[in-house]
Amino acid sequence: MGILEVKNVSKRFGGLKALSDVNLSIAENTVHALIGPNGAGKSTLLNVLVGKLIPDTGSVTFEGQSVLGRKPHEINQMGISRVFQTPEIFGELTVMENVLIPCFAKRDGAFRMHALESTGREKEMVEKAEAMLIDVKMIDKRGMHAASMSRGDKRRLEMAMCLVQEPKLLLLDEPTAGMARADTNNTIDLLKEIKSKRPITMAIIEHDMHVVFSLAERITVLAQGTPLVEDIPENIKGHPKVMEAYLGTTHGEAAE
Amino acid sequence: MLGLDRKDFTLVLIIALVALLAPFLLNFWPTESGMAQFNAGYPALMQRFAIYGIFAIGFNILFGLTGYLSFGHAAFLGVGSYSAVWMFKLLSMNVLPGIFLAIIVSGLFALVIGYVSLRRSGIYFSILTLAFAQMSFNLAYSVLTPLTNGETGLQTTLNDPRILGASRTAEGGIPVPSLFGLEMNATSIWKIGGWEFQFNVGYYFAAALMVLTFYLSIRLFRSPFGLMLRAIKTNQTRMSYTGLSSRPYTLAAFVISGMYAGLAGALLACMDPLAGAERMQWTASGEVVIMSILGGAGTLLGPILGAGVIKYLENIFSKINEGVLHGWFDFLPEVVKEPLVWLFARFTGEGWSLTLGLIFMIVVIFLPGGLMEGARRIGDLFRKRGKPSDDDKEHHPKPAAHVAE
Ligand SMILES: Nc1ncnc2c1ncn2[C@@H]1O[C@H](COP(=O)(O)OP(=O)(O)O)[C@@H](O)[C@H]1O
Ligand SMILES: [Mg+2]
């Protein structure tokens, strides 16, 4: 039994079958990559996992408990954090505040009426947020307006916001898209470091095969809403079905 | 100090000092001079500054922080007034029980209205709150006459029971609201040169509460709770995927700001123990919106500033009638004078709301951050070039784009 079990999940958008009969098991403390051409249904699958979408059929369980029908914040409180394909951050707030919010959410739960405490004096929270910002090399940007940063920095910030919650399962939707090569490598190192520090399970959607093969311990290839193959990276590289799925797309490097 | 950092503490101190010295600071001209009509240092007006300041500070907690624009906050103001007057009628003329009841009742009322209205956001939320407030106004005006005394308004009479007080004074009059014997309308006058400075119990009571509520609002702004409210304004999607439920936060902010409005309503009743339905009308709700935006929504000082400016201008403009205008333009030939007087008369006296509308439009178009934004820009001009201001973010937030999201 994996930490996350997806069974027979299907999702239609009108006439389009975005997910058809998806079965997926993610083992605890592994990095599991989801690859596949654009429109394969990868983001839709993540939407189902975090409660943004409710599938037409099937079941999703996390640590043995069903996530279907739970609200997004309840699913997060179970230990699932997600980095979105287009960064979702608090644009009007500072970088530091962006990281503080998940710290409080983790400590205080979905709601707490802490109206007379002082944010600046919550030493433990501030230190935790600062340590996280140092880890993602953004501490010098702590006072910056989040909306005014580059796309790559926004992604790193969003990743920091998820990581500071110490989730059991981290979902990453194309975390390095829009990043410069150096930043991509930093991201790989960061995720590796996080993984070495404490137990964490990651599901990562990525087009950059360098990232996939640097991190993934297992890979599932999705095409047209169905998993084609699932295997260890070495076996995926030359797999004929994968080549077929990617043929004609810009991601031929998967089949090198 | 008192849980605030030095900068915020100084701000509270300054507000307290200004409130304390207001009878001097706002009495610009000697009593006998022709300019005396522009003075603001008399009790009735200063009371309104403090009371509407409280109203706007509370409104800003909801609108300034979360971006939820309520168009029905006057309902809570009215409920506060009615509750206080009922306490004056039934219990005693001491203001404290009246204020206490007003805060509780308006809080409960806000809980119900907020619970329903906060199911929607943006313009739909605004419309729901407006609808509730207009419903309350109509109920108070007609259906609930036994509670509100309809058109006439609820007031204290000689026949009220006042269990803990007296139905009538020794002289046979209706007793005046008081704080343990200190009557709200008691004023002592201090004459210095041509000036008359008026120190009024009611004003100082309201001002003390304004400073207290201002202090509480700074604490709230700087708290993790305030941070969550600002997060709601920015990105509710990220909120929920961060494990936070935004509804209880917005509801708490709504109830708190409703209680502030209830307190303001109770204070209005303390100064003049009369509560009428028109206090709940949409124009009154719109006024607090304009105060916040004019001063600078989301800033700490903006709402107080906005409330002061609007109440002052209202006072001045309402006084200028055609007679006054004729006096001003007397030096002009008749052909020029008559049209000028006619034109100006549209914007003064009864036409004050037209001026208010114009001011509002000018501010929203040219200074979307309100007067605080203007003050900051002027401040920046005097600072060295290239050196950005080190004020914190709340003092100059981005224009409120969330209003109609
Ligand atoms: N909310 C939605 N409404 C309608 N169609 C959608 C929606 N979300 C995704 N789709 C469609 O479902 C398919 C899968 O999309 P997606 O999961 O985003 O693909 P991927 O992330 O693998 O590129 C696409 O054809 C997309 O257009
Ligand atoms: Mg996608």
Side-chain angles (χ1 to χ4, degrees), chain A residues 37-44 46 82 85 173-174 205 207:
Chain A
N38 275 326
K42 307 180 297 291
S43 296
T44 305
L46 288 207
R82 173 178 181 183
Q85 193 168 347
D173 199 343
E174 304 193 19
I205 295 177
H207 282 313

Side-chain angles (χ1 to χ4, degrees), chain B residues 53 55 59 192 210 228-229 241 287 290 354 389:
Chain B
F55 191 19
F59 185 75
I192 303 176
M210 188 196 75
M228 297 306 174
L229 297 185
Y241 293 107
E287 198 179 49
I290 295 180
L354 197 57
S389 78

Side-chain angles (χ1 to χ4, degrees), chain A residues 16-230:
Chain A
L16 178 85
K17 251 194 154 181
L19 295 175
S20 48
D21 223 13
V22 174
N23 286 288
L24 179 72
S25 171
I26 296 182
E28 199 164 353
N29 301 331
T30 58
V31 178
H32 197 123
L34 288 168
I35 62 171
N38 275 326
K42 307 180 297 291
S43 296
T44 305
L45 181 57
L46 288 207
N47 286 343
V48 167
L49 302 186
V50 296
K52 191 172 178 184
L53 285 177
I54 295 174
D56 303 331
T57 62
S59 68
V60 179
T61 55
F62 178 69
E63 293 189 312
Q65 286 183 299
S66 175
V67 306
L68 297 186
R70 287 185 203 247
K71 298 213 175 79
H73 74 263
E74 292 166 341
I75 294 175
N76 175 276
Q77 294 282 356
M78 290 168 84
I80 303 182
S81 287
R82 173 178 181 183
V83 175
F84 283 79
Q85 193 168 347
T86 13
E88 292 279 2
I89 54 173
F90 301 111
E92 296 287 298
L93 306 184
T94 65
V95 167
M96 183 64 183
E97 287 169 336
N98 267 274
V99 183
L100 272 171
I101 290 168
C103 291
F104 284 118
K106 170 89 176 168
R107 187 192 70 180
D108 300 333
F111 172 73
R112 191 178 146 203
M113 188 73 203
H114 31 28
L116 291 179
E117 290 146 43
S118 163
T119 309
R121 284 177 203 198
E122 297 272 3
K123 262 219 151 80
E124 210 178 304
M125 298 286 104
V126 172
E127 277 165 14
K128 198 170 159 187
E130 278 173 350
M132 190 70 237
L133 284 176
I134 291 170
D135 282 351
V136 296
K137 303 194 171 58
M138 289 186 88
I139 191 72
D140 51 323
K141 298 195 168 89
R142 53 174 293 165
M144 245 174 108
H145 212 212
S148 66
M149 296 193 303
S150 72
R151 205 178 134 107
D153 277 350
K154 284 181 186 162
R155 291 193 164 287
R156 267 199 298 169
L157 173 60
E158 193 183 15
M159 216 175 299
M161 292 162 73
C162 289
L163 287 172
V164 82
Q165 290 198 306
E166 298 174 1
K168 292 175 194 156
L169 173 62
L170 178 65
L171 306 173
L172 300 137
D173 199 343
E174 304 193 19
T176 66
M179 275 189 190
R181 190 87 239 172
D183 280 341
T184 302
N185 286 333
N186 283 338
T187 305
I188 294 173
D189 293 343
L190 171 70
L191 292 174
K192 276 185 175 161
E193 196 188 314
I194 297 288
K195 185 114 201 329
S196 68
K197 269 193 197 159
R198 59 180 198 85
I200 183 169
T201 313
M202 297 186 197
I204 177 167
I205 295 177
E206 190 52 74
H207 282 313
D208 186 334
M209 289 305 138
H210 170 59
V211 179
V212 172
F213 288 108
S214 307
L215 288 167
E217 291 155 78
R218 266 198 105 69
I219 297 176
T220 297
V221 184
L222 223 67
Q224 286 162 7
T226 340
L228 283 183
V229 270
E230 189 200 308

